[in-house]
Amino acid sequence: MKKYLFVIALLFCAVLMHSQDRYFINSDTRLYTSANTSAEFLGYFKYGAEVQLLSESKNGWYKVKADNLSEGFIPEKYVATRLNAADIKVKDNENPILEGGDNYYGGNHLFVLVAGLKARAQPDKNSKIREILYTGDPVAINYLPKNPEEWVNISGSFNDEYAKFTLRKFVGKRPDFNTLLKDFDKLDVTNVTERKTVGERIVELAWNSDNATLAPAYQRYYEVVKQLNDPKLLADTELNIAIAKGLAKHKKQEEITAFTKKSEFVIKGTKTKSLFLTQKDLEKTLGKPAKKATISDECGLYISEVFYYYPDLEASVDEKQNKAEIIKVFINETNKLVFTTGAALDGSLTEKAFIEKYGSYIGASIKNPHSYSIPLEDSEFRIEFKDGKLFSIEIFYYC
């Protein structure tokens, strides 16, 4: 009996040891219901997929767990502890997963097919929402279940901290913009629900495409919004239409840089001289900071790792050199950003007026509504609105 228990313990340790190692698929293969290529299969693996071993090799097969937590069998020859350039990849022409290098994503991937897709922390519709994804977003996929109603891991990671799941039916080849337009135009005008669904997909895909697609996308979507007669949705859509018009006439980088080159803040009447001022002038204007902190600046982006925090301003301060660099300003009646004479961002500026005047200079995204960027030479202004009013301007540096 003791010997029998000892053997069981050894087997358990072996399985446990496998579970602690990392194993990768070194070629396209499938997840089978049993250890036989003639057996029914559950899904497709792409080269580079990670698996967890659930058994020792038996007759040239492993029992494994895929990253969506499905269990099945794969041939031992396709399992490796590392990947290298010498791997001979066998292609599975029926495998729907796309390889990287298509100008959308660098690794194995597919695309989101629906609007406002909720990516869950677990393969469970009641689990935590980890991210909202949009039509046309590329997502990392290394294992794809065959059943459209099964869950797929779209993070490319087994790690519970990063794993994200959605249903298989919501991902596939990248939707075609013109096809979606035609689908919308075929719908009965009284079918408001379906027109809204397709309209949302068209708009999201347009944001993931060329700026020229935004105008025809919003033309369709606005038709539905007017049918719904929701005041907030109408206002938001009209704002997005204005943004789309600005982006369609987007200025060249050199024109934007020339426009922003002499930008400076005015803080309680004090000009910052191209975003800088002395520490003495900063304290003369705002007094002693409410808080001081030392940040980690591994990229060397700021003049100092010492930051001063005021109720309406943040600055990097080199106390030895008597220099202060503005990092973030909260806009109020005394704080503003001046580009040139007659071109300033202050507390009286509404979001609509900002878009109408500066729409051809800005960067915008449907994923960050009411937040815009204007590039500088080595950084960008990040401009945030709240309740239609200018709220803050931050200088974001590129590492």
Side-chain angles (χ1 to χ4, degrees):
M1 184 56 140
K2 290 181 179 179
K3 183 177 181 181
Y4 175 76
L5 289 174
F6 179 68
V7 171
I8 293 295
L10 284 177
L11 288 173
F12 175 79
C13 289
V15 172
L16 181 61
M17 182 171 60
H18 278 308
S19 70
Q20 294 170 339
D21 292 332
R22 298 186 70 185
Y23 293 87
F24 302 92
I25 302 299
N26 61 15
S27 187
D28 286 9
T29 189
R30 302 181 181 187
L31 182 66
Y32 294 91
T33 56
S34 61
N36 191 318
T37 54
S38 298
E40 180 68 19
F41 73 95
L42 301 171
Y44 302 90
F45 284 109
K46 201 70 178 169
Y47 176 86
E50 185 174 354
V51 295
Q52 292 180 351
L53 299 193
L54 300 178
S55 74
E56 294 292 309
S57 174
K58 184 177 180 181
N59 299 325
W61 288 77
Y62 281 120
K63 185 176 183 182
V64 301
K65 180 185 290 185
D67 62 12
N68 75 333
L69 310 186
S70 292
E71 297 181 7
F73 297 84
I74 54 175
E76 178 185 5
K77 63 183 178 180
Y78 295 134
V79 178
T81 55
R82 62 179 61 86
L83 303 171
N84 60 68
D87 290 337
I88 300 174
K89 306 173 190 177
V90 177
K91 295 284 186 179
D92 181 347
N93 292 329
E94 296 181 14
N95 191 329
I97 303 173
L98 302 171
E99 294 182 355
D102 61 355
N103 297 321
Y104 292 105
Y105 196 79
N108 300 329
H109 66 287
L110 285 173
F111 296 89
V112 174
L113 303 179
V114 296
L117 178 65
K118 298 178 178 68
R120 305 278 180 176
Q122 296 292 329
D124 182 335
K125 65 180 181 180
N126 296 315
S127 73
K128 175 185 175 182
I129 297 172
R130 188 150 274 172
E131 184 180 5
I132 302 294
L133 297 162
Y134 295 84
T135 305
D137 278 350
V139 288
I141 294 179
N142 291 313
Y143 171 74
L144 187 71
K146 186 172 65 170
N147 183 348
E149 298 299 330
E150 286 192 23
W151 293 87
V152 57
N153 188 331
I154 57 173
S155 71
S157 173
F158 258 107
N159 191 317
D160 288 341
E161 185 178 351
Y162 303 107
K164 293 179 288 189
F165 297 87
T166 188
L167 293 178
R168 160 71 179 90
K169 62 185 177 183
F170 296 141
V171 296
K173 289 184 179 179
R174 194 173 194 271
D176 180 74
F177 182 77
N178 290 323
T179 299
L180 279 181
L181 289 184
K182 291 176 182 178
D183 290 343
F184 181 91
D185 292 340
K186 291 175 184 176
L187 293 171
D188 190 303
V189 293
T190 62
N191 190 351
V192 179
T193 301
E194 187 64 18
R195 277 162 61 86
K196 183 174 184 290
T197 297
V198 179
E200 288 171 341
R201 293 176 184 175
I202 291 171
V203 165
E204 291 186 1
L205 185 59
W207 279 102
N208 273 320
S209 305
D210 187 271
N211 285 340
T213 62
L214 285 168
Y218 275 109
Q219 176 190 339
R220 267 77 171 182
Y221 186 59
Y222 194 46
E223 292 177 19
V224 184
V225 171
K226 286 187 289 186
Q227 285 180 292
L228 294 169
N229 199 28
D230 179 329
K232 185 179 185 307
L233 188 57
L234 272 167
D236 288 345
T237 304
E238 288 167 356
L239 183 67
N240 283 325
I241 290 172
I243 294 170
K245 289 178 179 177
L247 293 176
K249 300 176 183 178
H250 206 257
K251 295 187 181 296
K252 295 179 181 179
Q253 178 64 45
E254 54 267 29
E255 293 179 281
I256 299 174
T257 302
F259 176 70
T260 60
K261 191 172 184 179
K262 295 183 179 180
S263 301
E264 61 181 357
F265 284 104
V266 177
I267 310 297
K268 291 183 171 27
T270 300
K271 294 183 178 180
T272 60
K273 299 179 182 178
S274 297
L275 315 181
F276 292 87
L277 70 169
T278 66
Q279 176 193 3
K280 290 181 179 178
D281 283 342
L282 178 64
E283 293 193 0
K284 180 180 178 181
T285 303
L286 297 175
K288 295 293 183 182
K291 175 185 172 184
K292 276 189 187 183
T294 301
I295 64 151
S296 175
D297 183 18
E298 295 178 358
C299 292
L301 300 177
Y302 307 110
I303 61 171
S304 169
E305 292 186 342
V306 176
F307 267 51
Y308 282 16
Y309 295 90
Y310 294 89
D312 56 358
L313 182 146
E314 297 174 8
S316 170
V317 179
D318 187 331
E319 297 173 330
K320 293 181 179 179
Q321 298 294 323
N322 187 30
K323 293 180 180 179
E325 175 184 25
I326 302 299
I327 303 301
K328 186 173 185 178
V329 172
F330 295 93
I331 303 301
N332 53 37
E333 62 276 4
T334 62
N335 296 344
K336 61 183 177 180
L337 173 66
V338 178
F339 294 120
T340 59
T341 303
L345 308 185
D346 59 29
S348 67
L349 187 68
T350 66
E351 186 170 3
K352 184 178 179 182
F354 169 77
I355 296 303
E356 290 173 348
K357 189 169 184 178
Y358 303 104
S360 59
Y361 291 90
I362 65 171
S365 169
I366 193 174
K367 296 182 180 181
N368 296 295
H370 314 298
S371 180
Y372 309 95
S373 63
I374 296 180
L376 300 164
E377 289 183 332
D378 59 351
S379 55
E380 64 182 35
F381 289 119
R382 289 194 174 175
I383 301 161
E384 184 180 358
F385 286 81
K386 285 190 177 181
D387 300 321
K389 293 286 188 178
L390 183 57
F391 176 71
S392 68
I393 301 174
E394 182 176 5
I395 316 300
F396 183 84
Y397 289 91
Y398 309 129
C399 186

